[in-house]
Every structure is written in C-alpha cells, then in structure tokens.
C-alpha cells in the first residue's frame, strides 16, 4: 500500500510539473517531435537492454559460471520490474537478482551476491566518473542558480558514499562478522549462515578480481551503456528542436539520473522530470521544452522498459500456469 501511495505521489508530481510548465505548450512541443525518431530511440533502448544482459553474461563467465542468456534476461526483467515500483537506488531490484541467481540458476548465495555486486560496482564507477565530468562542466560553463549546488552535491555525496560502501562490503564482507555477532535479535544459527555467506562472498570476489583484463573490458562496456543514455536524450532533444550540443544534453542527463537515484519515489518518478527541467532552465531551455524532453526520455528508458518487463513476466507466469494445468490433465484419474 505504501509503495502504491508513493507511486501515485510521483505521478501527481509529474502532473504538477506539467501544470506549472503550461500543459498546452508542452503538448505543442510534443507535436513538433518527429515520432519516426521515437522508433530509433526505442531500438537504442532495446540495444541497451541487450548490452546489459551481455555484460552480466560475460561477468558470470569470468567467474566460472556459464549462465543462459534467457535466464539472465528473465532476471533482469524481474529486476527492472521491482526497481520500477520501489524507491530508487535499485536495492530492491538487486535483492531480486540475488534471489533468482540462487533459486533459478543454482548459484550459491555468496557467488550470486558477488556477481550482482561486481556488476553494480562496475556500472556505478563509470556513472560516478561521468557525473564528476558533468558536474565540472555544468558549474564552469553554465550560469547556475543557487538551488543547483545543494541538489547536485547532496546527490553526488549519496552516490559516492553508496559506491564506497558497496566496494568495502564487496572487498571485506567478513569484517561485518563482528557486527553480526552482536545483533541481539538474530539466532545463533541465522548468524552462522550469514557469516558463511560473507566468507563465500569474499572468496568469490577475491578470485574474480585476480584477473584485471576482463574487467577493463567491462568498464568500457559500462561507459558504452551509459553513453547510450546520453545519446538517446540527444536524439530526442534534436527531434524537439532543442538547440543544445551533445555535451550539454549529456551533462543534464547524468545529473538528472544521479538525483533520480535518491531513494525518494518509486523509479524516481517525478524527481527525474523535475530535475531535468531544473538543469535545463539555466541553459536557456524553456520549462515546457524541458518537460517534453523529460517525458519522452522517461517513456523510452523507464516506461517502455517497465511495460516490456511486466509483459514478459506476465507471459512467463501464464505459460507456467498453462503448463501446470496441462501436466495435471495428463495424470490418470
């Protein structure tokens, strides 16, 4: 119920942004957009999904696990669905991935957590670097307003802190054993299981990081994936006749996604749209054009991905139920 309320709040926030920007002007901006270009951007989103699944496949291979792309696709679709209906930072989606890697693909809890953690760290290191560049460009190029400074730095500190914490947990998970032993509400059996997982996690991470070359490839792939997000935004901006260079659009895109990572509303709905307008205004882009850009970009990168994941998971569930019914009907009475 709480998640539904938060989701409704996000939708209402989008409607408020539309109202403040003058919905009629937003609609006029959307009418000027070449929707043939929308197909190209949607195809680029599908390419992004493919590359993310390829990244998971390659990292798993490096860790000695040959996982089927079909299973990884199911895992990522489940992760996308969970992330879309829970507040950002994506921790809910990552927990779902660990569960599926263990339950569906047979990995130990430690190895599943190591795989999820390594992929997350690689992606966030690339994202963090791009945001350092974005922040530097924005504050040295744009005549910004006072409100941008606290918003950017709070988001950056959250992102950097999250990355550092995740890296520490990945590198030294056994260090948590002392803390786990002191938890009064956990039974001894539960504590022993958690500590065993932590040791397994550390061993898997240590083994995976012994070879550096494959991870250099993964870093390059992570940068490629994040650059695709900026390129999709640039194509949409071009279709809306927004006169900004690629660098300007990329900076706004990364800063917006960084703020969207704050665990405020499910999927960053509302905060994403508002943040994009917030960063475009100092660049001379009217609010109605900023809202139009944010709405189309969110449709492609959030709603399209959400509907694909929901449709795919629904189809999988119906197929599973149908197979169960067919198997039951074949049993002798």
């Amino acid at each position: 119920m709480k998640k539904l309320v938060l989701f409704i709040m996000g939708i209402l926030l989008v409607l408020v942004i539309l109202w403040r920007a003058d919905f009629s002007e937003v609609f006029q901006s959307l009418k000027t957009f070449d929707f043939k270009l929308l197909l190209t951007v949607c195809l680029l989103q599908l390419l992004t999904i493919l590359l993310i699944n390829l990244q998971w496949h390659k990292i798993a291979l490096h860790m000695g696990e040959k996982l089927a792309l079909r299973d990884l696709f199911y895992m990522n679709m489940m992760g996308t669905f969970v992330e879309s209906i829970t507040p950002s930072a994506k921790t809910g989606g990552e927990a779902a991935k660990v569960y599926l890697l263990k339950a569906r693909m047979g990995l130990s809890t430690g190895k599943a957590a190591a795989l999820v953690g390594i992929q997350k760290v690689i992606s966030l290191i690339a994202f963090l670097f791009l945001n350092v560049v974005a922040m530097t460009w924005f504050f040295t190029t744009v005549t910004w307003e006072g409100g941008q400074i606290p918003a950017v730095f709070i988001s950056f500190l959250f992102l950097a802190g999250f990355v550092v914490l995740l890296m520490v947990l990945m590198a030294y998970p056994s260090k948590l054993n002392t803390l786990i032993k002191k938890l009064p509400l956990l039974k001894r059996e539960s504590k022993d299981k958690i500590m065993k997982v932590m040791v397994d996690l550390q061993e898997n991470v240590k083994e995976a990081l012994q070879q550096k070359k494959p991870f250099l490839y993964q870093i390059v792939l992570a940068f490629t994936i994040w650059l695709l997000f900026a390129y999709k935004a640039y194509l949409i901006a071009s279709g809306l006749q927004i006169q900004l260079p690629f660098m300007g659009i990329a900076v706004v895109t990364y800063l917006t996604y960084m703020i969207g990572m704050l665990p405020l509303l499910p999927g960053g709905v509302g905060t994403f749209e508002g943040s994009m307008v917030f960063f475009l205004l100092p660049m001379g882009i009217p609010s109605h054009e900023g809202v139009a850009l944010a709405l189309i970009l969110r449709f492609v990168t959030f709603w399209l991905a959400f509907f694909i994941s929901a449709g795919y998971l629904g189809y999988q569930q119906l197929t599973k139920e149908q197979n169960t019914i067919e198997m039951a009907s074949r049993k002798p009475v």
Side-chain angles (χ1 to χ4, degrees):
M1 183 66 183
K2 182 180 178 182
K3 294 174 182 177
L4 179 61
V5 171
L6 286 171
F7 196 77
I8 292 172
M9 285 175 60
I11 298 296
L12 289 174
L13 183 55
V14 173
L15 292 175
V16 170
I17 294 168
L18 281 170
W19 176 72
R20 288 178 64 89
D22 190 336
F23 179 77
S24 62
E25 291 185 336
V26 174
F27 183 69
Q28 288 300 318
S29 294
L30 291 173
K31 283 178 65 176
T32 65
F33 183 71
D34 182 4
F35 280 91
K36 291 180 181 178
L37 190 59
L38 182 63
L39 177 60
T40 302
V41 181
C42 288
L43 290 174
L44 284 174
Q45 179 62 21
L46 294 179
L47 175 61
T48 304
I49 294 172
L50 177 63
L51 288 176
I52 291 172
N53 280 278
L54 178 64
Q55 184 183 51
W56 279 92
H57 182 67
K58 292 295 184 181
I59 295 174
L61 281 177
H62 178 60
M63 295 179 66
E65 298 291 338
K66 190 174 182 180
L67 304 179
L69 279 170
R70 179 180 61 185
D71 289 333
L72 288 172
F73 183 75
Y74 179 88
M75 177 199 73
N76 279 305
M77 288 296 98
M78 180 63 76
T80 297
F81 182 79
V82 173
E83 289 165 6
S84 300
I85 61 174
T86 55
S88 296
K90 301 192 175 183
T91 49
E94 308 312 327
K97 291 171 186 175
V98 171
Y99 172 79
L100 288 172
L101 284 168
K102 180 183 177 183
R104 188 182 178 97
M105 291 169 255
L107 273 64
S108 68
T109 304
K111 179 159 275 192
L115 176 55
V116 171
I118 289 172
Q119 191 276 336
K120 192 71 174 178
V121 167
I122 289 171
S123 177
L124 287 179
I125 285 175
F127 185 57
L128 185 64
F129 177 83
L130 288 169
N131 270 288
V132 170
V133 175
M135 289 170 60
T136 303
W137 187 92
F138 187 83
F139 289 124
T140 57
T141 307
V142 178
T143 305
W144 38 269
E145 300 172 3
Q148 271 94 15
I149 296 178
V152 168
F153 278 101
I154 288 172
S155 302
F156 180 77
L157 288 174
F158 175 82
L159 174 61
F162 183 74
V163 172
V164 170
L165 178 62
L166 187 57
M167 291 176 71
V168 170
L169 290 176
M170 291 293 296
Y172 308 105
S174 59
K175 298 294 184 182
L176 290 174
N177 289 350
T178 304
L179 177 62
I180 294 169
K181 289 178 182 177
K182 294 180 179 179
L183 292 176
L185 299 178
L186 282 178
K187 295 181 180 179
R188 183 175 178 179
E189 184 180 346
S190 299
K191 292 179 182 179
D192 290 341
K193 286 182 178 179
I194 294 172
M195 288 189 288
K196 185 178 178 181
V197 169
M198 291 300 178
V199 172
D200 187 21
L201 171 63
Q202 187 167 3
E203 289 175 355
N204 278 285
V205 171
K206 185 177 179 180
E207 184 179 347
L209 295 178
Q210 285 179 348
Q211 300 179 42
K212 303 294 188 295
K213 190 175 179 180
F215 287 101
L216 292 175
Y217 165 79
Q218 293 299 332
I219 288 288
V220 172
L221 183 55
F223 272 106
T224 302
I225 291 168
W226 280 113
L227 286 170
L228 275 173
F229 278 90
Y231 184 58
K232 283 177 278 190
Y234 178 71
L235 287 179
I236 295 169
S238 299
L240 290 169
Q241 309 302 317
I242 294 176
Q243 302 300 316
L244 279 180
F246 174 77
M247 187 64 185
I249 294 294
V251 165
V252 170
T253 302
Y254 295 132
L255 293 179
T256 299
Y257 271 107
M258 183 171 67
I259 290 181
M261 282 192 67
L262 292 173
L264 301 175
L265 294 169
V269 174
T271 54
F272 180 92
E273 290 79 4
S275 299
M276 179 155 280
V277 175
F278 187 55
F279 290 116
L280 284 169
L281 283 172
M283 297 185 182
I285 305 303
S287 59
H288 65 274
E289 291 185 2
V291 171
L293 170 57
L295 289 176
I296 298 175
L297 182 59
R298 282 297 267 175
F299 169 76
V300 173
T301 60
F302 177 80
W303 292 110
L304 178 63
F306 171 74
F307 289 134
I308 290 174
S309 64
Y312 177 79
L313 294 172
Y315 171 76
Q316 290 292 317
Q317 185 62 32
L318 287 173
T319 303
K320 182 179 178 180
E321 291 177 359
Q322 186 177 358
N323 290 338
T324 302
I325 293 171
E326 288 179 357
M327 289 178 66
S329 65
R330 292 171 186 171
K331 289 182 179 180
V333 179

